[in-house]
Amino acid sequence: MTLERTAAPRPTWRQRVRDPGWGLIFVLPMLVLFVIFRFVPSLGAVGMSFTDYRLSGEFTFIGAENYRRLIEDDLFFDSLRVTLLYALMYVPLTLVVSLGTATMLHHVVRGRGLFRGLLFLPYVTSFVMAGIIWIWIYQSDGLINGALERIGLGPVAFLTGNQAMVLGSLAIVSVWKSFGYSMLILLAGLKNIPEDLMEAATLDGAGAWAKFRRITLPLLRPVIFFVLVIETIVAFQVFDTIYVMTGGGPARASYGLVYMLYDQGFKFFDFGYAATIGVMLFLVVLVISLVQRYVLDRENT
């Protein structure tokens, strides 16, 4: 007796239109909000970058004059350098802390939910509150310097020292504030690694470090690169921590691109030039994200 496989009937054109239509109806409210509050303002900022737009609402079309001015502005390149240095400190440190805490949580048997909530708690606090807390920790009679004085090392100027000290101190605050998000993403990636591979490696005599290096890291590579892209974007958008803790100082040692955008737009009310800085910031982040995406695709293939 032979069984004949009957082909499934092809959906009619009404079904092909109706099914995606229902999905569009469900996402339509969020799509409308995205277009109104994200897409349209972004296009408006691009258009504003070609104008001399003032607080009164009057504007004059000046073409690429703002971009020429930006290329000749030494402050822009100094701010870009500060932002790059900050990203080079913040992104690797965030990845290491997030991966370390995710790995520990993955092996915790009892109280996993409690520890996860405690580690994620800084992420849900505001940057302003985090900045105020860490100003007290970093100040000359604060928690860290108090401990250093007891062992005879003296006070350290965390927020008023050289550029490396200031940016490193700010990066530590941002890592403490933000690592919980990446930790949860990496923890989800760890849970998707088959336990059979770990058991087989244990039977073959592999230690914890060998299993982590040979199994965990290769299988976690797509998640790690996703975290790198997200945290790089976060690093280039840093503003709250700088605004609360240093105000761009000392001597503009922490004067990043977004802080420069804020000054031009809301201190000097030069909205056209501020929009130009925002467009250039978008292009810089886009190029870095594309490079990371290229590396991700190459590693996966």
Side-chain angles (χ1 to χ4, degrees), residues 130-140 142 159 244-246:
I132 293 173
I133 293 172
W134 279 88
I135 286 175
W136 171 75
I137 294 175
Y138 280 146
Q139 64 186 4
S140 58
L159 300 178
V244 173
M245 300 187 68
T246 65

Side-chain angles (χ1 to χ4, degrees), residues 31-292:
L31 183 61
V32 170
L33 292 176
F34 175 82
V35 171
I36 294 176
F37 294 104
R38 289 298 184 96
F39 189 71
V40 173
S42 298
L43 291 180
V46 174
M48 189 182 295
S49 67
F50 294 99
T51 66
D52 181 14
Y53 196 101
R54 294 295 172 174
L55 185 62
S56 61
E58 299 178 355
F59 64 91
T60 305
F61 180 78
I62 58 175
E65 179 65 24
N66 283 327
Y67 291 93
R68 184 193 64 80
R69 174 185 169 190
L70 190 69
I71 294 175
E72 297 176 353
D73 192 349
D74 293 334
L75 182 59
F76 167 74
F77 291 100
D78 289 341
S79 302
L80 178 60
R81 179 177 56 84
V82 168
T83 306
L84 287 172
L85 288 175
Y86 173 83
L88 289 175
M89 296 178 186
Y90 168 80
V91 176
L93 188 58
T94 301
L95 179 61
V96 171
V97 174
S98 301
L99 184 57
T101 52
T103 303
M104 289 188 294
L105 282 177
H106 183 62
H107 292 92
V108 170
V109 178
R110 301 181 60 182
R112 180 181 299 173
L114 174 63
F115 290 118
R116 185 188 306 168
L118 291 175
L119 291 173
F120 189 75
L121 185 61
Y123 182 79
V124 299
T125 61
S126 68
F127 273 104
V128 175
M129 182 62 67
I132 293 173
I133 293 172
W134 279 88
I135 286 175
W136 171 75
I137 294 175
Y138 280 146
Q139 64 186 4
S140 58
D141 57 346
L143 184 63
I144 297 178
N145 278 317
L148 291 176
E149 287 183 356
R150 291 186 178 182
I151 60 178
L153 295 180
V156 178
F158 290 101
L159 300 178
T160 58
N162 55 35
Q163 186 180 54
M165 179 67 72
V166 172
L167 289 179
S169 301
L170 293 175
I172 290 174
V173 177
S174 297
V175 170
W176 174 83
K177 168 69 175 66
S178 305
F179 82 94
Y181 177 77
S182 297
M183 176 194 70
L184 292 183
I185 295 176
L186 291 167
L187 183 61
L190 289 171
K191 291 184 178 297
N192 287 329
I193 297 178
E195 289 293 335
D196 296 343
L197 296 177
M198 295 298 182
E199 295 175 359
T202 302
L203 293 176
D204 289 339
W209 172 247
K211 290 188 289 186
F212 180 78
R213 185 166 59 93
R214 299 290 185 179
I215 299 177
T216 302
L217 283 182
L219 294 179
L220 207 60
R221 185 178 293 141
V223 183
I224 290 175
F225 273 94
F226 173 78
V227 170
L228 284 176
V229 172
I230 295 300
E231 295 298 347
T232 300
I233 296 174
V234 171
F236 274 83
Q237 293 177 342
V238 61
F239 171 76
D240 307 70
T241 307
I242 296 175
Y243 181 81
V244 173
M245 300 187 68
T246 65
R252 290 180 174 167
S254 58
Y255 196 80
L257 279 177
V258 178
Y259 205 94
M260 180 182 177
L261 187 154
Y262 166 79
D263 274 353
Q264 295 297 325
F266 297 98
K267 276 190 177 181
F268 308 124
F269 303 111
D270 193 351
F271 296 111
Y273 193 53
T276 306
I277 299 172
V279 172
M280 293 303 295
L281 176 62
F282 167 77
L283 293 177
V284 171
V285 174
L286 178 62
V287 170
I288 295 176
S289 301
L290 290 176
V291 171
Q292 291 175 327

